[in-house]
Amino acid sequence: SRRLPALHLLGTRAHGPCRQRHWTGGPEHALGAAGSFTGEISSDMLLAAGCSYVLLGHSERRQFCGEDDSQVNRKLVCALRAGLCPIVCVGETLQEREASRIEEVVLGQVGGALAGIEASAASAVLWAYEPVWAIGTGVTATAAQAEEVHAMIRHFLDADEVRIQYGGSVKPENAAELFAQDNIDGGLIGGAALDAGQFAAIVKAAL
């Protein structure tokens, strides 16, 4: 499992080394490795807190903070240079899905995030497909819908070994079916992770 707490909770490092197969990550990254980015989280801060992972391009950052593909790309470059493992989120809104723009939007976000990044470095990136219309709404993409987009992303990246997680109202009731798909490599769990019982059931479904 992976934890992505707010970095204000620097006490995570005080608990000492994490158990095997348990890593800590940060929920966001500044536009630069260091510097005057008040309120943002730099590579140095993430590393000082003992983080290995960082979440980039989450739909809420795109929607509420105006974050675009070029900014996600800048943050991704910084994270890779710092040796962090980035988890890049991509996904379409309901309006974009209904307008049959899924491929245009999702692959545009993937390509935009990777602009100028060498293939050897890009292989270290984890991806999370999170259909915006299914985040925190209780509505989940069907396993077939999620698998279709995951397969599309994998084909675009032309890399069988790349890890692509699904995020979007994953629950104990649908986790096993989602994780059984050929191109879904686990989940990026949001609200369900706040309930220990639900989260444990989702983890069990992934084993």
Side-chain angles (χ1 to χ4, degrees):
S1 65
R2 302 179 179 91
R3 293 177 295 152
L4 299 173
L7 254 291
H8 301 291
L9 303 178
L10 293 178
T12 54
R13 185 169 178 80
H15 294 301
C18 292
R19 295 180 179 178
Q20 187 177 11
R21 299 184 60 79
H22 184 105
W23 299 270
T24 302
E28 176 50 25
H29 193 295
L31 284 170
S36 302
F37 298 101
T38 302
E40 297 292 331
I41 304 166
S42 70
S43 299
D44 289 346
M45 293 168 67
L46 289 163
L47 293 170
C51 291
S52 303
Y53 291 79
V54 61
L55 198 64
L56 303 175
H58 192 277
S59 63
E60 290 163 4
R61 296 286 305 183
R62 296 178 188 266
Q63 180 181 358
F64 300 120
C65 302
E67 197 165 281
D68 58 23
D69 294 335
S70 65
Q71 291 175 315
V72 175
N73 173 253
R74 286 177 60 184
K75 295 179 178 188
L76 179 56
V77 169
C78 288
L80 289 170
R81 285 177 178 169
L84 291 163
C85 182
I87 305 173
V88 180
C89 302
V90 297
E92 81 285 358
T93 64
L94 181 59
Q95 292 77 10
E96 291 164 342
R97 171 169 281 271
E98 291 177 339
S100 300
R101 296 181 58 213
I102 305 169
E103 182 174 356
E104 172 195 347
V105 172
V106 174
L107 298 188
Q109 292 172 347
V110 174
L114 292 175
I117 296 176
E118 295 290 338
S120 57
S123 64
V125 179
L126 275 69
W127 298 90
Y129 169 57
E130 46 161 23
V132 181
W133 48 273
I135 299 172
T137 62
V139 178
T140 310
T142 66
Q145 288 174 321
E147 169 66 11
E148 179 182 15
V149 180
H150 278 239
M152 181 192 306
I153 295 170
R154 194 177 303 280
H155 178 74
F156 178 80
L157 293 171
D158 192 23
D160 291 337
E161 71 281 1
V162 68
R163 294 190 62 81
I164 309 171
Q165 301 174 326
Y166 173 76
S169 295
V170 178
K171 299 169 285 192
E173 296 79 13
N174 59 32
E177 184 181 10
L178 285 165
F179 298 159
Q181 304 305 304
D182 291 341
N183 290 288
I184 297 180
D185 305 311
L188 184 69
I189 314 303
L194 300 177
D195 183 301
Q198 288 192 44
F199 188 57
I202 292 171
V203 172
K204 185 176 180 180
L207 298 178

